[in-house]
């Protein structure tokens, strides 16, 4: 593989890492919603994958990134690193959120093995299977599909709870600018009542 292709992979991974670091190191301490820690994509409402696991927010087991990438590229012509991470999350209903630190080195490894090839240049460099890669995927279908089967999915009740919380946060967001102080005070009382009620449910 040419040196410039290695640089494209490293640069793309580094740029995405920097974007993630900037978001979490925001000195305002706010998520994207502006309501403080916990309400952005990385907070407890940030992904359905946080629900349904023992302990709620515990990190889910990581899947086989190599097999997942080969599986995805076997289903489409080509994908870049970001699209691969997004597709992994969508295919597992948020149960597996692959990081740039696992995806980009694996892409480089697969290029070294001759199973994939970069297409284009720059940050959006996409990757596709080589003839050897397509043959490998065809010969190892069962093992590659295990990458998805080993990732636990959130239960139906967990998904419903997440969706309900999302709807609640949509209403709460309107209180930031579209409500009077009296309405905000009344909302705080209702939210406190709901919080106490939820603790009682957990105590049953």
């Amino acid at each position: 593989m040419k040196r410039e292709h290695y640089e494209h992979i490293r640069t793309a991974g580094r740029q995405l890492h920097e974007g993630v670091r900037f978001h979490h190191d925001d000195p305002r301490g706010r998520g994207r919603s502006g309501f403080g820690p916990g309400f952005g994509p990385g907070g407890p409402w940030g992904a359905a994958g946080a629900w349904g696991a023992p302990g709620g927010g515990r990190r889910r087991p990581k899947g086989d990134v190599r097999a997942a990438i080969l599986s995805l590229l076997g289903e489409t012509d080509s994908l870049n690193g970001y699209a691969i991470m997004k597709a992994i999350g969508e295919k597992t209903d948020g149960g597996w959120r692959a990081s740039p630190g696992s995806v980009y080195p694996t892409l480089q490894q697969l290029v070294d093995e001759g199973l994939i090839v970069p297409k284009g240049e720059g940050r959006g460099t996409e990757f596709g299977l080589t003839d050897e890669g397509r043959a490998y995927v065809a010969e190892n279908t069962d093992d590659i599909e295990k990458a998805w089967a080993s990732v636990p999915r959130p239960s139906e009740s967990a998904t419903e709870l997440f969706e309900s919380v999302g709807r609640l946060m949509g209403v709460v967001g309107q209180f930031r600018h579209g409500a009077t102080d009296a309405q905000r005070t009344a909302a705080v009382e209702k939210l406190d009542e709901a919080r106490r009620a939820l603790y009682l449910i957990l105590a049953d």
Side-chain angles (χ1 to χ4, degrees):
M1 180 182 179
K2 295 182 179 180
R3 180 181 181 84
E4 56 265 29
H5 286 154
Y6 281 111
E7 291 302 320
H8 295 323
I9 298 174
R10 294 194 187 98
T11 299
R14 184 167 57 251
Q15 287 171 330
L16 190 49
H17 269 305
E18 285 299 310
V20 173
R21 182 189 62 77
F22 176 80
H23 171 68
H24 288 291
D25 290 349
D26 187 338
R28 294 172 296 179
R30 299 172 182 260
R32 289 181 184 173
S33 63
F35 279 90
F39 294 105
W45 322 129
W51 298 98
R58 294 179 184 174
R59 185 180 297 276
R60 287 187 177 275
K62 293 181 179 179
D64 185 339
V65 178
R66 181 177 182 276
I69 292 174
L70 290 172
S71 173
L72 291 171
L73 293 181
E75 298 171 356
T76 187
D77 181 54
S78 61
L79 294 169
N80 61 26
Y82 174 78
I84 288 171
M85 287 182 280
K86 182 179 179 182
I88 288 174
E90 291 175 347
K91 191 159 184 173
T92 61
D93 298 323
W96 176 13
R97 289 171 286 173
S99 68
S102 63
V103 169
Y104 284 100
T106 304
L107 286 170
Q108 183 170 320
Q109 174 190 339
L110 289 169
V111 171
D112 290 341
E113 295 177 27
L115 299 181
I116 68 173
V117 62
K119 299 181 178 182
E121 298 181 353
R123 184 175 182 178
T125 298
E126 295 188 345
F127 299 85
L129 292 174
T130 61
D131 290 340
E132 183 179 350
R134 281 188 285 272
Y136 179 89
V137 170
E139 294 169 2
N140 295 274
T141 301
D142 291 342
D143 289 338
I144 289 175
E145 287 304 311
K146 289 179 182 178
W148 308 116
S150 63
V151 180
R153 305 302 203 270
S155 66
E156 182 178 351
S157 62
T159 300
E160 290 175 352
L161 177 59
F162 161 70
E163 291 174 349
S164 178
V165 170
R167 292 191 294 270
L168 172 62
M169 295 312 301
V171 175
V172 170
Q174 297 180 36
F175 278 81
R176 187 181 185 196
H177 298 297
T180 65
D181 286 340
Q183 288 173 326
R184 293 190 186 102
T185 298
V188 169
E189 293 177 358
K190 292 297 183 181
L191 289 172
D192 284 344
E193 289 176 10
R195 175 173 51 80
R196 288 190 291 268
L198 291 173
Y199 275 124
L200 289 175
I201 292 174
L202 289 173
D204 286 344

